[in-house]
Amino acid sequence: MFSLRHFFVLSLALNVSLILRLMMHQAQQKPHHNHSVTHHEEHNNNIHKSRMLISSSSSTSSFANSTSTTGASSNNRVINLDHGDPTAYERFWRQTGDKSTITIPGWQSLSYFSDVTNICWFLEAEFAREVVRLHNVVGNAVTEGRHIVVGTGSSQLFLAALYALSPIDSPEPISVVCASPYYSSYPSMTNHLKSGLYKWGGDAESYEKEGPYIELVTSPNNPDGHVRRSKVNRSQGFLVHDLAYYWPQYTPISAPADHDLTLFTVSKSTGHAGMRIGWALVKDQEVAKKMTKFIELNTIGVSKDSQLRAAKVLRAVSDSWEQGNSKESESFFKFSHKLMANRWKQLRLVVERSELFSLPKFSPAFCTFFNQVLEPQPAFVWLKCEGNVEDCESFLRGYNILTRSGIHFGVSPKYVRISMLDTDENFNQFLDRLSAIQS
Amino acid sequence: MFSLRHFFVLSLALNVSLILRLMMHQAQQKPHHNHSVTHHEEHNNNIHKSRMLISSSSSTSSFANSTSTTGASSNNRVINLDHGDPTAYERFWRQTGDKSTITIPGWQSLSYFSDVTNICWFLEAEFAREVVRLHNVVGNAVTEGRHIVVGTGSSQLFLAALYALSPIDSPEPISVVCASPYYSSYPSMTNHLKSGLYKWGGDAESYEKEGPYIELVTSPNNPDGHVRRSKVNRSQGFLVHDLAYYWPQYTPISAPADHDLTLFTVSKSTGHAGMRIGWALVKDQEVAKKMTKFIELNTIGVSKDSQLRAAKVLRAVSDSWEQGNSKESESFFKFSHKLMANRWKQLRLVVERSELFSLPKFSPAFCTFFNQVLEPQPAFVWLKCEGNVEDCESFLRGYNILTRSGIHFGVSPKYVRISMLDTDENFNQFLDRLSAIQS
């Protein structure tokens, strides 16, 4: 049904697109390197960083990567591991062929609405069904008694949760806290609109205020990969569990998560960051309604096309597991677990030979999904520069490796966060350079 | 290349989806009719309204509509014309066949990034190219010297514009104003987060404050369809032009719009509301950067799938015009103009026979696109109840016609806004009932 001719046309379209992109860039774009960052930004403008470095042929775009192989062995090429751009899984998705391909005719999904009988009226039933199925397959979250709210990535759902959990007529904004090191975008996402409803309250460890608060619990944690529980533990706390990385390729699955409000995203589970699809499992009906209201006011719903595509991709993941390791197909989680295991093994070898760097220590644990004791293998390396190096980000930038400094995560600049999800080419280059630093 | 077999499979998938949706609804959904609206909402919860009425088989969902034809001739069926859900164009898109069909393989668009050399780093070049082409074909906007910022619908771009135009360190929020009747969502979108950056300032006509302000200019206007210019006209104003309806099927195109910041959306231009794709044409580079930053903090970019699909759909629209009225294809704008013309003609006949209702008066004008003098035929009817009827929305609700009251648009409840973009079936039912009221 899906012939070589189709692939040929797709490949041709990609080529045309690349050529036009290059032409458009040269013809239309004014140079905007070194432009100043103008708005109140608490931390590094990561995209800006990428853009400034495009002239040295670095890019986290998978399109641009595929055109920059020529200088691959050169140390002049900048390797951008600042973002967690999940391009590592591309090989798997190429193997799946039309099992993960979606076709959408022009007349489909014209309406704003998916199902007006659902609290989340823009939720595609097909997507919701595959979310429930995947959680049942993996065993990483309880879905019974939960409302599913779909979002434009889990970022939008994070903001929707803040809106939904903030008291309506409080004289001052509710504090939003998270134990450090915390995801670097939480503070700016919380504060960029100077909302009167909620306000970044900093490190949960040192949070002392009385009254209601919102605590973000990221587990496994971004950036350091550790399993977490809430820290504040006071009666008036609302908890938001960000479980973007609670998937078998990154961490042993210990039990189905059973919280009030849990966030997931396809970006990290299947690697489809470009879809911008996340979902929340929400116990309280009123909270689900308010989150839906936020998304209505913010974007009047969520792309139907991406929801349908996400449904297809999640189905392919569940199918690939349930069909086991048949001749023609490999399970997504086996593929991705093996990929991460290999990368972590290589990385540990390099770092252990060195006295300049160190890694977090993880304890192995029983994984109910793979049915064996396994090591965590996070999506990011939380690397520490030992010895005299005080600013690890600047130090690595000297070797054309872009990382994100610990200061953005509320801790010391001796730490950096480094993506483990980039292309094979970039990951291998990164290891080569890290080895070279030590010798 | 696109066989009947493909269509058969698609049709089968739709059937399965409909059946499962119905099953899921009965099995999982708890009834939530008459639930209370809990958060600070300035106006009617429209979705809520739909949901409450689902039991009487009304729905603005195109899926639900297609299952609710049985009771079509019954006056008990609720017709929801409160939303501007653009399902009227479905027939055109069915005719186009694979010209508007998109196929996306599982490995495509994994990355967050589209083009890191572009200010709007998540903008798909193919989509940007088709936006420029369509504006050139239609002649409704100047694109030279503009940055294109893509958004999750024009709603997100509206919020991005507020963020980008608000002074950074102002002691108080900037006022956001619009002449009444104004789009009913502007106040709640502006105020729902109690932002310290911007605040709804009400009717532009009566705005008297000194200092900077943001004025929204919607032209043709939602709800009343009139062509508009800015009202406040003071030196420190930032203008946001919302031109969602500045397309030939709704209004004569007078000249290419040439403003600082202009918003468009596929929802109203092509009828693809479910895609959630809008675009801004932005003159100032710093404003384009800040809008991009907002979308980064809000949703880390915009669905690539929908951008690619929007590119395909816009291309089909431009192609259909440039290829003229060939045997096999009709131009989208001729189709949609004819559809709107027919609907307005029928509506005028009904209203003119009545003493209960009146319509706005429009002057014909020369349309540079169709190259003739034409009448405006807006996407909404701005209907006035004459005589003793003080609450037109309640009055029409008595006939199972859902509309949106003038009070949500900042004016008298003698007015209502009624969608002209619903299905043929709903539109015809609406006309029948309106006729019956008068006799």
Side-chain angles (χ1 to χ4, degrees):
Chain A
M1 272 176 68
F2 206 79
S3 68
L4 274 174
R5 194 164 157 201
H6 285 81
F7 277 115
F8 172 70
V9 172
L10 279 166
S11 150
L12 209 65
L14 186 67
N15 290 335
V16 171
S17 148
L18 279 167
I19 291 164
L20 282 165
R21 188 173 317 232
L22 284 168
M23 282 169 61
M24 278 186 75
H25 171 48
Q26 290 175 349
Q28 295 190 340
Q29 299 302 319
K30 292 167 200 160
H32 38 256
H33 315 305
N34 304 315
H35 65 269
S36 61
V37 179
T38 44
H39 221 276
H40 49 96
E41 291 176 11
E42 288 76 5
H43 67 87
N44 61 331
N45 185 329
N46 314 314
I47 311 306
H48 170 70
K49 205 193 270 182
S50 297
R51 221 181 298 134
M52 287 197 342
L53 287 151
I54 191 71
S55 52
S56 40
S57 94
S58 157
S59 168
T60 50
S61 157
S62 57
F63 293 115
N65 276 342
S66 62
T67 61
S68 68
T69 45
T70 46
S73 61
S74 156
N75 282 335
N76 295 330
R77 194 169 71 90
V78 173
I79 298 177
N80 191 339
L81 301 172
D82 174 278
H83 311 280
D85 203 30
T87 46
Y89 305 143
E90 184 174 323
R91 194 153 37 91
F92 176 84
W93 292 111
R94 283 192 183 270
Q95 286 166 16
T96 58
D98 59 357
K99 277 180 232 160
S100 60
T101 298
I102 190 165
T103 298
I104 309 176
W107 54 265
Q108 200 174 307
S109 304
L110 292 172
S111 174
Y112 287 101
F113 301 95
S114 296
D115 177 2
V116 289
T117 67
N118 197 316
I119 286 181
C120 185
W121 50 268
F122 46 79
L123 171 67
E124 287 288 309
E126 209 176 322
F127 172 70
R129 204 166 54 243
E130 294 300 334
V131 161
V132 170
R133 182 181 167 209
L134 185 62
H135 283 307
N136 288 340
V137 166
V138 174
N140 63 340
V142 173
T143 55
E144 289 96 67
R146 259 64 174 191
H147 301 277
I148 297 176
V149 181
V150 64
T152 310
S154 56
S155 300
Q156 188 177 38
L157 292 164
F158 166 78
L159 295 171
L162 297 191
Y163 174 78
L165 298 174
S166 300
I168 306 172
D169 289 318
S170 171
E172 56 171 17
I174 191 168
S175 292
V176 180
V177 301
C178 183
S180 72
Y182 43 70
Y183 174 39
S184 50
S185 292
Y186 286 151
S188 48
M189 287 174 75
T190 307
N191 283 346
H192 71 295
L193 294 180
K194 296 186 178 174
S195 173
L197 299 177
Y198 47 77
K199 193 176 177 177
W200 180 245
D203 192 347
E205 206 74 75
S206 54
Y207 183 71
E208 298 285 354
K209 263 174 77 176
E210 287 303 309
Y213 64 92
I214 296 172
E215 182 179 354
L216 312 170
V217 183
T218 313
S219 182
N221 190 38
N222 173 0
D224 66 10
H226 286 298
V227 171
R228 283 191 160 189
R229 292 173 178 277
S230 65
K231 300 269 177 181
V232 183
N233 281 324
R234 283 207 293 273
S235 59
Q236 295 186 70
F238 299 103
L239 298 182
V240 176
H241 280 81
D242 184 345
L243 302 194
Y245 302 95
Y246 191 46
W247 295 98
Q249 68 267 47
Y250 304 122
T251 196
I253 302 301
S254 55
D258 188 11
H259 310 293
D260 287 343
L261 202 171
T262 313
L263 306 182
F264 288 98
T265 166
V266 294
S267 305
K268 308 307 175 182
S269 51
T270 71
H272 289 86
M275 279 185 192
R276 311 309 312 120
I277 291 289
W279 65 94
L281 304 176
V282 185
K283 211 182 252 177
D284 186 292
Q285 184 173 284
E286 292 308 312
V287 173
K289 277 182 202 166
K290 287 188 203 169
M291 289 179 70
T292 300
K293 183 69 189 170
F294 175 84
I295 295 172
E296 182 191 329
L297 289 166
N298 194 217
T299 55
I300 323 187
V302 173
S303 163
K304 304 255 172 301
D305 312 314
S306 287
Q307 288 189 63
L308 296 174
R309 189 169 175 233
K312 185 99 188 211
V313 159
L314 296 188
R315 186 183 312 141
V317 169
S318 293
D319 284 351
S320 79
W321 179 253
E322 289 185 343
Q323 287 157 11
N325 279 329
S326 65
K327 217 177 201 173
E328 39 177 336
S329 68
E330 188 181 12
S331 139
F332 172 74
F333 290 119
K334 284 203 177 165
F335 171 92
S336 51
H337 189 273
K338 201 159 67 184
L339 182 143
M340 296 304 290
N342 280 336
R343 288 191 174 188
W344 272 94
K345 196 174 152 193
Q346 292 177 69
L347 178 76
R348 285 189 197 286
L349 279 174
V350 170
V351 172
E352 275 163 16
R353 280 204 307 265
S354 152
E355 288 179 354
L356 275 171
F357 305 112
S358 67
L359 295 174
K361 304 264 180 284
F362 298 108
S363 306
F366 186 76
C367 175
T368 56
F369 178 74
F370 285 121
N371 215 16
Q372 57 183 300
V373 172
L374 290 166
E375 283 260 349
Q377 38 194 42
F380 294 105
V381 193
W382 185 235
L383 193 78
K384 188 180 179 190
C385 275
E386 299 288 346
N388 294 328
V389 178
E390 292 304 318
D391 183 345
C392 198
E393 183 192 342
S394 301
F395 179 72
L396 291 170
R397 206 190 301 127
Y399 298 89
N400 282 334
I401 303 168
L402 297 191
T403 65
R404 195 173 296 183
S405 168
I407 54 172
H408 306 305
F409 302 88
V411 298
S412 150
K414 283 186 84 73
Y415 291 89
V416 289
R417 191 194 75 169
I418 302 173
S419 172
M420 289 291 277
L421 298 182
D422 220 287
T423 58
D424 287 342
E425 187 194 328
N426 279 348
F427 181 73
N428 292 334
Q429 263 290 312
F430 161 62
L431 285 188
D432 287 351
R433 291 188 197 174
L434 214 60
S435 306
I437 296 174
Q438 305 161 64
S439 59
Chain B
M1 271 177 67
F2 206 77
S3 67
L4 274 173
R5 192 165 160 202
H6 285 81
F7 276 116
F8 171 70
V9 172
L10 279 167
S11 148
L12 209 64
L14 186 67
N15 290 336
V16 171
S17 148
L18 279 167
I19 290 162
L20 282 164
R21 188 174 315 233
L22 282 168
M23 282 168 62
M24 278 186 75
H25 172 46
Q26 290 176 349
Q28 294 189 340
Q29 299 303 320
K30 294 166 197 160
H32 37 258
H33 315 304
N34 305 316
H35 64 270
S36 62
V37 179
T38 44
H39 221 277
H40 49 94
E41 289 176 13
E42 289 76 5
H43 66 87
N44 62 329
N45 186 330
N46 315 315
I47 311 306
H48 170 70
K49 203 194 270 184
S50 297
R51 221 180 299 135
M52 285 198 342
L53 287 151
I54 192 72
S55 53
S56 40
S57 96
S58 156
S59 167
T60 52
S61 158
S62 57
F63 293 115
N65 276 342
S66 64
T67 61
S68 66
T69 45
T70 44
S73 61
S74 158
N75 282 336
N76 294 331
R77 193 169 71 90
V78 173
I79 298 178
N80 192 337
L81 301 173
D82 174 277
H83 311 279
D85 204 29
T87 46
Y89 305 143
E90 184 173 323
R91 193 152 39 91
F92 176 85
W93 291 110
R94 284 194 182 267
Q95 285 165 16
T96 59
D98 59 358
K99 276 180 232 162
S100 62
T101 299
I102 190 165
T103 298
I104 309 176
W107 54 266
Q108 199 173 305
S109 306
L110 293 172
S111 174
Y112 288 102
F113 302 95
S114 296
D115 177 2
V116 289
T117 67
N118 197 315
I119 285 180
C120 186
W121 50 267
F122 46 78
L123 171 67
E124 287 288 308
E126 209 175 321
F127 171 69
R129 206 166 51 245
E130 294 300 336
V131 161
V132 169
R133 183 180 165 210
L134 185 62
H135 283 308
N136 288 340
V137 166
V138 175
N140 64 341
V142 173
T143 55
E144 290 96 67
R146 258 65 173 191
H147 301 277
I148 296 175
V149 180
V150 64
T152 310
S154 56
S155 299
Q156 188 177 38
L157 292 164
F158 166 76
L159 295 170
L162 297 191
Y163 173 77
L165 298 175
S166 299
I168 306 171
D169 290 317
S170 171
E172 57 172 17
I174 191 170
S175 292
V176 179
V177 301
C178 184
S180 72
Y182 41 72
Y183 174 39
S184 50
S185 291
Y186 286 151
S188 48
M189 289 175 74
T190 307
N191 282 347
H192 71 297
L193 295 179
K194 296 186 180 173
S195 173
L197 298 177
Y198 46 77
K199 193 176 177 178
W200 180 247
D203 191 347
E205 206 75 75
S206 54
Y207 182 71
E208 299 285 353
K209 261 175 77 177
E210 286 303 309
Y213 64 92
I214 296 172
E215 182 179 354
L216 312 170
V217 183
T218 313
S219 181
N221 189 39
N222 172 359
D224 65 12
H226 286 297
V227 171
R228 284 191 160 189
R229 293 172 178 277
S230 66
K231 300 268 178 181
V232 183
N233 282 322
R234 282 207 295 272
S235 61
Q236 295 186 69
F238 299 104
L239 298 182
V240 176
H241 280 81
D242 183 345
L243 302 194
Y245 302 95
Y246 192 45
W247 295 98
Q249 68 265 46
Y250 305 122
T251 197
I253 302 301
S254 55
D258 187 11
H259 310 294
D260 287 343
L261 203 169
T262 313
L263 306 181
F264 287 98
T265 167
V266 293
S267 305
K268 308 306 174 183
S269 51
T270 71
H272 288 87
M275 281 187 190
R276 312 308 313 119
I277 291 289
W279 65 95
L281 304 177
V282 185
K283 212 182 248 176
D284 186 292
Q285 186 173 283
E286 293 308 312
V287 172
K289 278 182 201 165
K290 286 187 202 167
M291 288 178 72
T292 301
K293 184 70 190 169
F294 174 85
I295 295 172
E296 183 191 329
L297 289 165
N298 193 217
T299 55
I300 324 187
V302 173
S303 163
K304 305 255 172 301
D305 312 314
S306 288
Q307 287 189 64
L308 295 175
R309 188 169 176 234
K312 185 97 186 210
V313 160
L314 296 188
R315 187 183 312 139
V317 170
S318 293
D319 284 352
S320 78
W321 180 252
E322 289 185 344
Q323 287 158 10
N325 281 326
S326 66
K327 217 176 198 174
E328 40 178 336
S329 67
E330 187 182 14
S331 141
F332 172 74
F333 290 118
K334 283 202 178 166
F335 171 92
S336 51
H337 189 273
K338 201 159 68 184
L339 183 144
M340 296 304 290
N342 280 337
R343 289 191 174 186
W344 272 95
K345 197 174 150 190
Q346 292 177 68
L347 178 76
R348 283 189 199 284
L349 279 174
V350 169
V351 172
E352 276 164 16
R353 279 204 306 265
S354 150
E355 287 179 356
L356 274 172
F357 306 111
S358 68
L359 296 173
K361 303 262 179 289
F362 298 108
S363 307
F366 187 76
C367 175
T368 58
F369 179 73
F370 284 122
N371 215 16
Q372 56 183 300
V373 173
L374 290 166
E375 282 260 351
Q377 39 194 40
F380 295 106
V381 193
W382 186 235
L383 193 77
K384 190 179 177 190
C385 276
E386 300 288 346
N388 294 331
V389 178
E390 291 306 317
D391 183 345
C392 198
E393 184 191 341
S394 302
F395 179 72
L396 291 171
R397 205 190 302 124
Y399 297 89
N400 282 333
I401 303 168
L402 297 191
T403 64
R404 196 173 296 182
S405 168
I407 54 171
H408 306 305
F409 302 88
V411 297
S412 150
K414 282 187 84 73
Y415 290 89
V416 290
R417 192 194 75 170
I418 302 173
S419 172
M420 289 290 278
L421 299 182
D422 220 287
T423 57
D424 286 341
E425 186 194 328
N426 279 347
F427 181 73
N428 291 334
Q429 264 291 312
F430 161 63
L431 285 189
D432 286 352
R433 292 188 198 173
L434 214 59
S435 306
I437 296 174
Q438 304 160 66
S439 59

